[in-house]
Amino acid sequence: MTRPEPQASGTARRLAALGYTPLVAPLLQVVPVTADGTEAGEGPGSANGIGTLALTSRTAALILAAHPAFHSLPVAAVGSATAAEARRAGFTRVDDAAGTVDVLLDRLAGAPEPIVHMAGREHTGDLVERLVARGQRASRRIVYAMAPQRLPAAPRVDAVLIYSPRTAHVFSGEVTRAADSGDAAQGAGTSPWDSAAVVAMSDKVAAAMPGRLVCVASAPTEPAMLEALAAILPSPASAFAPAARGAGPQPSDPAG
């Protein structure tokens, strides 16, 4: 499990219930930042004057959970996972864009302005730029960063779940480092991480690991990730049918 906490532990519990033995090894750690981009604990700035919040990650919703001044604002969330996290965080007016930025843009047409996109420092996409281009007042606040972490030593790794392109880049670098250092005392040039099967949430995630054989989930959701895992590494307790797929564009709802 390479996704950040607290999502990693939640997925680990689901994997254990399916009969797997999960290893929680987050490759990115969430670091809150202020609205001016400096790492500190002062929060995402003021809620005053904001018309609508746009959220494209669960982590942004988690960060805002500790700032109730924002919770009365309407929220446009990119997909169901982000929308659910926003509701758990305390937001009461949440619109779910069903997993695509294009739908999110449609939902934001006519939304109260200014629209503020709460995002991570390493965010992808051009939501704010597209809003401004069509004449809406919009801006972006960076409310968290993702700090790379090391892979732990492990005697055996059968499969790795990768949820984002950034995690994929960190994983590739860590696999090289582990092999060079002889991870888990297996000798230089070998590592259980290098031989493990990999399940990616999307084609974009898979593309960040060139040269590696990757099983891509049928949709950018956790159930689809677990289905794809069951397709390549069956578990006696798994009730999933195989759902791995080949290439093809898929909507994105980042889960960490």
Side-chain angles (χ1 to χ4, degrees):
M1 266 317 312
T2 62
R3 67 193 315 195
E5 291 285 19
Q7 295 97 324
S9 291
T11 300
R13 287 190 293 270
R14 287 183 279 277
L15 287 167
L18 292 170
Y20 296 102
T21 302
L23 171 61
V24 177
L27 285 176
L28 295 172
Q29 179 179 351
V30 178
V31 181
V33 300
T34 61
D36 64 3
T38 58
E39 295 184 8
E42 299 176 8
S46 173
N48 294 335
I50 296 177
T52 303
L53 290 177
L55 301 181
T56 55
S57 75
R58 292 176 61 185
T59 302
L62 283 167
I63 293 292
L64 293 173
H67 302 279
F70 291 88
H71 294 173
S72 62
L73 294 171
V75 170
V78 74
S80 58
T82 301
E85 200 68 66
R87 295 186 184 100
R88 284 192 291 269
F91 292 95
T92 57
R93 294 188 286 166
V94 181
D95 186 21
D96 181 353
T100 74
V101 173
D102 288 338
V103 173
L104 182 60
L105 279 165
D106 290 341
R107 299 287 178 84
L108 287 169
E113 299 177 21
I115 299 165
V116 176
H117 177 208
M118 296 291 193
R121 183 177 291 159
E122 300 83 8
H123 71 89
T124 59
D126 55 357
L127 175 64
V128 168
E129 292 74 13
R130 293 170 72 180
L131 288 167
V132 171
R134 72 183 187 188
Q136 291 183 272
R137 289 183 296 143
S139 62
R140 181 178 292 112
R141 292 187 190 178
I142 303 303
V143 295
Y144 68 93
M146 304 299 284
Q149 305 296 299
R150 287 286 182 89
L151 280 173
R156 173 181 170 184
V157 180
D158 295 312
V160 181
L161 305 183
I162 306 288
Y163 286 76
S164 72
R166 177 85 191 285
T167 302
H169 284 299
V170 175
F171 175 71
S172 296
E174 279 296 291
V175 166
T176 300
R177 181 198 63 79
D180 289 345
S181 63
D183 188 31
Q186 294 189 26
T190 64
S191 165
W193 299 100
D194 193 35
S195 58
V198 174
V199 178
M201 177 167 265
S202 69
D203 291 307
K204 184 179 291 187
V205 175
M209 296 176 282
R212 180 146 194 153
L213 183 62
V214 176
C215 178
V216 182
S218 62
T221 65
E222 178 154 288
M225 289 283 282
L226 299 184
E227 291 172 2
L229 174 64
I232 62 173
L233 186 65
S235 167
S238 176
F240 288 116
R245 66 173 178 85
Q250 292 289 327
S252 177
D253 183 11

